[in-house]
């Protein structure tokens, strides 16, 4: 699964880079394109590193954890650089949760969902309170911001629950097929 994950990650990154560059070219955009492109290039480099690492380091569980945590950090940077609460790329957090459910045990899926919630909430809160510069075009009040964060928390946990159920069923089917 890890080699497949790296290849799919590279395809998704290429797709995101192309779409974001097209949007930046066609619309007036206050977003820091340089930060976004740098993040995507860093993500490419890390993905190639993980692909090379797979060929000689056989600790797949540790690699899975490292890749999921790296993906969470880089998704957070991408979401921040594309506008925080205005970002259309916050759907990447549930993708990381789903990947964690496939690669790791069930409890890791919930940890990943909780870390995604913490990262997304931190981005929104830091931008709201001025700790980080905000690239958002809308500036919701505190109640609306809390509602956004709470809705995303429940969404991430629901996705973690459903993805972990599906992954458990897939593992059961795999064992039955091997038998």
């Amino acid at each position: 699964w890890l080699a497949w994950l790296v290849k799919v990650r590279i395809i998704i990154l290429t797709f995101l880079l192309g779409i974001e560059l097209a949007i930046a070219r066609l619309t007036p955009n206050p977003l820091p394109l340089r930060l976004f492109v740098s993040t995507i290039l860093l993500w490419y480099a890390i993905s190639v590193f993980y692909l090379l690492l797979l060929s000689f380091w056989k600790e797949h569980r540790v690699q899975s954890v490292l890749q999921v945590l790296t993906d969470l950090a880089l998704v957070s940077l991408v979401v921040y650089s594309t506008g925080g609460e205005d970002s259309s790329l916050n759907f990447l957090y549930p993708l990381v949760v789903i990947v964690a459910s496939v690669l790791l045990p069930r409890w890791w899926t919930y940890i990943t969902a909780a870390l995604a919630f913490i990262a997304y909430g931190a981005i929104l809160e830091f931008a709201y309170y001025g700790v980080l510069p905000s690239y958002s075009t809308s500036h919701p009040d505190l109640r609306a911001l809390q509602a956004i964060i709470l809705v995303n928390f429940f969404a991430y946990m629901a996705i973690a629950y459903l993805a972990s159920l599906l992954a458990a069923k897939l593992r059961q089917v795999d064992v039955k097929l091997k038998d």
Side-chain angles (χ1 to χ4, degrees):
W1 284 103
L2 285 174
W4 175 84
L5 169 66
V6 172
K7 293 170 188 169
V8 169
R9 182 186 299 125
I10 289 172
I11 291 169
I12 290 172
L13 289 175
T14 304
F15 184 69
L16 290 177
L17 181 63
I19 287 179
E20 196 64 34
L21 289 176
I23 289 172
R25 204 127 172 76
L26 299 173
T27 62
N29 201 342
L31 301 178
L33 194 59
R34 181 178 221 163
L35 177 60
F36 175 77
V37 171
S38 299
T39 303
I40 295 294
L41 292 176
L42 174 65
W43 213 343
Y44 274 126
I46 290 172
S47 296
V48 169
F49 169 75
Y50 281 139
L51 198 57
L52 295 173
L53 190 64
L54 270 172
S55 63
F56 63 87
W57 191 37
K58 300 301 179 195
E59 290 293 326
H60 296 297
R61 181 64 51 100
V62 176
Q63 285 188 52
S64 299
V65 171
L66 284 174
Q67 287 192 31
V68 165
L69 293 176
T70 303
D71 284 345
L72 278 176
L74 291 169
V75 164
S76 299
L77 193 53
V78 164
V79 167
Y80 169 69
S81 68
T82 56
E85 69 263 2
D86 290 342
S87 177
S88 60
L89 300 179
N90 64 353
F91 72 90
L92 294 172
Y93 283 117
L95 287 179
V96 175
V97 172
I98 292 168
V99 165
S101 74
V102 171
L103 296 176
L104 299 166
R106 179 177 261 180
W107 59 274
W108 258 106
T109 306
Y110 293 107
I111 289 174
T112 304
L115 290 173
F117 159 72
I118 290 168
Y120 187 61
I123 289 168
L124 297 186
E125 292 283 335
F126 287 162
Y128 179 81
Y129 288 111
V131 176
L132 293 172
S134 177
Y135 300 114
S136 173
T137 55
S138 68
H139 300 286
D141 64 347
L142 186 58
R143 294 291 243 181
L145 187 69
Q146 290 171 341
I148 291 168
I149 293 170
L150 190 64
V151 165
N152 279 285
F153 170 72
F154 286 116
Y156 297 160
M157 287 302 160
I159 290 167
Y161 174 73
L162 294 172
S164 65
L165 279 179
L166 180 62
K169 294 290 182 188
L170 288 173
R171 287 184 187 107
Q172 287 174 354
V173 168
D174 189 43
V175 168
K176 287 181 181 177
L177 285 174
K178 284 181 183 176
D179 289 345

